[in-house]
């Protein structure tokens, strides 16, 4: 059985965004139950030099869009990084999912050898579409989703491994 580049990219990105949405739902419930300020959780970080929760969601969104765009060659929408509420973060996730769902599978399938160019730390990096997806796109996306999970867990939101796995 063979699996296509689209099958290992877009559905995985969508599932990760849906999981992130569920994590934010649980965070919002936590805020309401404990009578906390939402801004405290949305601005929370694991460590001072790391992005806060809102930026983790923004980076997950950006990475999902960029990954699909680099694989397909189709332009991704640009969203300003101005979300400050759970509703705004959820709206961004939904817009990202909408973009991904609108990408035709045939724009990504067969692009395993497509040359992907990107700048990392001021240097141009070249890799094949398959290498980009498996060595950078998906790991980077998952990093931001799991970091958002870690921030929420650190701040007392009742989450477990199965929440991260979306089960």
């Amino acid at each position: 059985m063979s699996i296509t580049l689209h099958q290992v990219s877009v559905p995985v990105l969508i599932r990760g965004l849906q999981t992130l949405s569920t994590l934010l739902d649980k965070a919002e419930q936590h805020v309401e139950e404990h009578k906390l300020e939402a801004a405290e959780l949305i601005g929370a970080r694991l460590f001072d030099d790391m992005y806060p929760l809102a930026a983790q969601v923004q980076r997950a969104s950006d990475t999902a869009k960029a990954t699909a765009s680099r694989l397909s060659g189709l332009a991704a929408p640009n969203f300003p990084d101005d979300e400050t509420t759970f509703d705004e973060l959820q709206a961004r996730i939904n817009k990202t999912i909408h973009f991904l769902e609108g990408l035709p599978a045939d724009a990504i399938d067969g692009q395993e050898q497509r040359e992907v160019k990107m700048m990392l730390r001021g240097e141009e990096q070249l890799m094949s579409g398959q290498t980009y997806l498996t060595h950078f796109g998906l790991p980077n996306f998952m990093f931001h989703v799991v970091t958002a999970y870690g921030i929420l867990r650190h701040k007392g939101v009742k989450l477990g491994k199965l929440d991260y796995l979306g089960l």
Side-chain angles (χ1 to χ4, degrees):
M1 175 175 86
S2 63
I3 189 164
T4 69
L5 197 60
H6 180 271
Q7 289 172 319
V8 297
S9 60
V10 172
V12 175
L13 295 167
I14 290 172
R15 181 173 167 82
L17 290 165
Q18 290 167 335
T19 295
L20 188 54
S21 176
T22 300
L23 297 176
L24 292 178
D25 284 341
K26 291 184 179 215
E28 191 168 17
Q29 290 169 4
H30 177 81
V31 164
E32 290 169 8
E33 287 173 11
H34 293 85
K35 299 184 184 359
L36 304 172
E37 291 293 325
E40 283 184 42
L41 203 51
I42 291 169
R45 304 168 187 260
L46 282 178
F47 200 75
D48 291 340
D49 66 351
M50 294 180 75
Y51 286 127
L53 177 64
Q56 297 297 338
V57 174
Q58 293 160 352
R59 294 304 151 287
S61 164
D62 290 344
T63 303
K65 293 182 301 171
T67 297
S69 176
R70 287 181 177 129
L71 293 175
S72 69
L74 300 173
N78 186 21
F79 305 150
D81 294 335
D82 58 3
E83 296 86 6
T84 59
T85 68
F86 285 115
D87 286 343
E88 290 170 347
L89 291 170
Q90 292 285 13
R92 184 185 183 117
I93 290 169
N94 289 331
K95 289 188 298 187
T96 306
I97 290 171
H98 181 74
F99 165 69
L100 294 171
E101 289 174 338
L103 288 171
D106 63 0
I108 294 175
D109 288 341
Q111 301 300 314
E112 291 82 2
Q113 297 310 312
R114 174 190 189 86
E115 186 177 75
V116 173
K117 294 180 188 180
M118 57 186 288
M119 295 297 288
L120 286 176
R121 296 188 180 118
E123 291 186 30
E124 185 176 75
Q125 302 289 317
L126 299 173
M127 57 191 88
S128 71
Q130 182 176 335
T131 299
Y132 166 76
L133 177 65
T134 59
H135 292 194
F136 186 83
L138 287 178
N140 190 33
F141 172 75
M142 293 302 184
F143 171 84
H144 292 293
V145 175
V146 78
T147 302
Y149 168 93
I151 291 168
L152 295 174
R153 187 69 184 99
H154 177 69
K155 289 301 193 176
V157 179
K158 298 295 182 206
L159 299 170
K161 183 178 179 180
L162 294 180
D163 294 303
Y164 173 75
L165 294 174
L167 300 173

